Amino acid sequence: MRSLPALAVLILALGLATASAQEVAFPGLRTDTTAQVEVTADSLSVNQAKGTAVFTGNVLIVQGPMRLKAEKVEVEYGADRSKIAKLHASGGVTLASKTDAAEAKEAVYAVATGAVEMTGDVLLTQGQNVLSGQHMTIDLKTGTGRMDGRVRSILQPGGTP
């Protein structure tokens, strides 16, 4: 016979497996949003009139311990054109730290607020736990977020969602 805590974990896991939205802790994706942003890519195209830059091919963005990879990233600069306002990544997007990783078709990172919005077949891996859905928002300042769109969780006993 199972102990009550193990049974509770199993019931919780089964209940979350078909939830439509789930709040999630992202302690590994927490970062200093005021840290410099380093971008490397195969090519760069700049449009001074629009205040944008487009990096293409093997794009890697690094900010503190956070890494964002994609095939294409459009950078929008603020009104004074001295700071990055948003990064719009597309094409095999991966957002990762030492402990957490998230994949999606697209991601938008609002640098000033530390908000990341990932859309399209989102898959989050935290250790052995896996969470999937169609839309995920992450607050990089607090390390919290939300997953929406036919959320599915696979939780390991004793792990964190």
Side-chain angles (χ1 to χ4, degrees), residues 37-98:
V37 176
E38 177 184 337
V39 182
T40 57
D42 292 339
S43 65
L44 167 64
S45 174
V46 177
N47 185 326
Q48 291 290 343
K50 289 184 177 180
T52 62
V54 179
F55 292 89
T56 55
N58 301 308
V59 182
L60 173 62
I61 298 172
V62 178
Q63 186 178 38
M66 183 186 71
R67 308 282 185 266
L68 188 141
K69 294 181 183 181
E71 271 306 303
K72 177 181 173 184
V73 175
E74 183 173 347
V75 178
E76 293 179 32
Y77 292 94
D80 67 358
R81 308 262 167 94
S82 67
K83 294 182 180 177
I84 295 172
K86 284 186 181 178
L87 300 170
H88 181 194
S90 59
V93 178
T94 302
L95 178 66
S97 69
K98 291 181 182 180

Side-chain angles (χ1 to χ4, degrees), residues 135-146:
H135 180 261
M136 179 172 70
T137 56
I138 305 167
D139 183 333
L140 295 176
K141 291 180 179 181
T142 63
T144 60
R146 180 180 174 94

Side-chain angles (χ1 to χ4, degrees), residues 7-8 88 156:
L7 183 57
H88 181 194
Q156 301 302 318

